[in-house]
Amino acid sequence: MENKKSNEDSIKNAIKKRIKEKIKKELLEEIYNELKLEENELAEEISSIISKKEKSSAADLINEIKAEQPIFEKLEDDKTVSISVKAILKIASHALKYASSKISRDKWVEVIGLLAGKQYDYGPKLHIEDAYPMGHGSAVYAEIKDYKNFVRAFNDIKAKNLFICGWYHSHPSYGTWMSDEDIGTQARYQKLWDNAIALVIDPYQIDGTSLGFQIFRANLKNKKWFSIPFSVEGSLDVKSLPEILEFMDPIIEGKAAYLEYDED
Ligand SMILES: [Zn+2]
């Protein structure tokens, strides 16, 4: 028994070491801080900001967002999109924070956030570099209360020479697809930028065989949605994703002490 236990421990330590090499402390801190900032934000925000043009401050913001969008040829639907490991980990952590086995199922809610991208002249035409957790909740169309988090993200995205290339949200345990409401939200993003994409994640599909998300765009004329192929930039083995997320669990739960993990 002793032997088995120490054997298990050494396997665990080896896994931990391997994951640590991959995920830097800075990224864990960033995820921790952004999830903290998002805690008070309800999911209504983003779609409300984009729909409520009558609110002049929101309208100014929309104009500013529009002005920041790059002008480039319309992406062909079959052109690939790439996504960073960082964005994947942020989105998955955010989704799991509000729908995990530690929360009773009737309390699970969806999360919503922004995707920050950059354009390539070659290879995948659009690269999703980062993701910004914006809110969580079950109603998508409520009043806008406070959007300082949105403005903060927008300014940060601009400062990093990225632009808002779409949005993400979660479907905890009910698959990756676009509802009618989702197509409505997506339409607003595509009006901001033609090539805007929607990433839908179901964290319960992250099982070692799937990344648990798909990327979509919609045909606004017939209201049909379709998935867009993508590749992952950086090294991320689908098989190890559940392990990595499990390792990040304390961060997802909001335990700052865990950030000391490097000092061993
Ligand atoms: Zn949805």
Side-chain angles (χ1 to χ4, degrees):
M1 281 308 267
E2 280 286 296
N3 257 343
K4 193 175 171 230
K5 174 93 175 69
S6 68
N7 201 19
E8 273 175 12
D9 281 351
S10 68
I11 291 169
K12 267 188 195 151
N13 284 335
I15 291 170
K16 202 174 157 190
K17 188 166 173 278
R18 215 181 62 215
I19 293 173
K20 274 185 185 180
E21 281 160 10
K22 241 177 231 181
I23 315 173
K24 298 285 169 250
K25 193 182 176 194
E26 293 74 44
L27 176 57
L28 292 179
E29 273 171 353
E30 190 175 322
I31 292 174
Y32 171 79
N33 287 328
E34 287 181 5
L35 289 178
K36 269 273 172 265
L37 279 168
E38 185 272 345
E39 267 173 8
N40 303 320
E41 311 289 340
L42 295 169
E44 293 66 289
E45 285 183 36
I46 306 174
S47 43
S48 314
I49 289 164
I50 288 173
S51 60
K52 290 201 162 90
K53 296 196 181 192
E54 69 278 10
K55 294 208 171 187
S56 64
S57 51
D60 286 347
L61 184 60
I62 286 162
N63 287 331
E64 216 184 319
I65 292 170
K66 270 188 173 166
E68 289 298 321
Q69 302 305 323
I71 298 163
F72 64 99
E73 60 174 304
K74 176 132 179 67
L75 291 180
E76 295 300 328
D77 296 334
D78 59 356
K79 287 267 164 62
T80 51
V81 166
S82 63
I83 182 166
S84 70
V85 173
K86 176 181 178 174
I88 294 173
L89 293 178
K90 277 193 175 182
I91 294 165
S93 307
H94 190 201
L96 284 167
K97 180 168 181 174
Y98 294 97
S100 80
S101 55
K102 297 188 177 72
I103 304 168
S104 81
R105 218 184 155 100
D106 58 313
K107 296 214 170 64
W108 286 4
V109 291
E110 295 184 7
V111 300
I112 190 166
L114 295 171
L115 298 173
K118 66 183 177 196
Q119 174 192 1
Y120 283 131
D121 298 334
Y122 56 90
K125 286 262 185 175
L126 174 66
H127 176 62
I128 306 165
E129 172 63 27
D130 211 343
Y132 288 79
M134 282 294 118
H136 58 275
S138 41
V140 190
Y141 295 102
E143 263 313 287
I144 165 176
K145 285 163 187 124
D146 174 18
Y147 55 88
K148 58 182 187 303
N149 204 22
F150 186 96
V151 175
R152 182 192 62 83
F154 174 66
N155 289 331
D156 198 42
I157 288 167
K158 208 161 73 169
K160 287 180 181 162
N161 282 323
L162 301 172
F163 64 95
I164 296 171
C165 66
W167 62 298
Y168 72 83
H169 76 292
S170 66
H171 284 175
S173 83
Y174 47 95
T176 54
W177 51 284
M178 297 278 278
S179 69
D180 289 348
E181 286 80 16
D182 295 340
I183 291 175
T185 305
Q186 174 63 10
R188 291 194 286 275
Y189 280 86
Q190 284 183 220
K191 277 169 196 158
L192 285 176
W193 186 51
D194 250 11
N195 296 300
I197 49 176
L199 185 155
V200 182
I201 185 166
D202 178 354
Y204 286 83
Q205 287 185 359
I206 302 173
D207 58 1
T209 64
S210 162
L211 291 170
F213 67 86
Q214 288 199 78
I215 296 174
F216 302 106
R217 198 176 279 131
N219 178 330
L220 300 187
K221 290 198 185 82
N222 63 16
K223 305 252 187 257
K224 289 222 159 52
W225 49 272
F226 48 88
S227 77
I228 298 173
F230 64 88
S231 58
V232 177
E233 197 180 87
S235 65
L236 180 69
D237 179 5
V238 172
K239 273 189 286 189
S240 64
L241 186 57
E243 230 167 49
I244 294 174
L245 289 168
E246 199 185 316
F247 174 82
M248 290 171 66
D249 209 47
I251 291 280
I252 295 169
E253 283 183 55
K255 287 180 191 150
Y258 179 73
L259 295 171
E260 311 297 319
Y261 90 103
D262 251 356
E263 285 103 53
D264 65 15

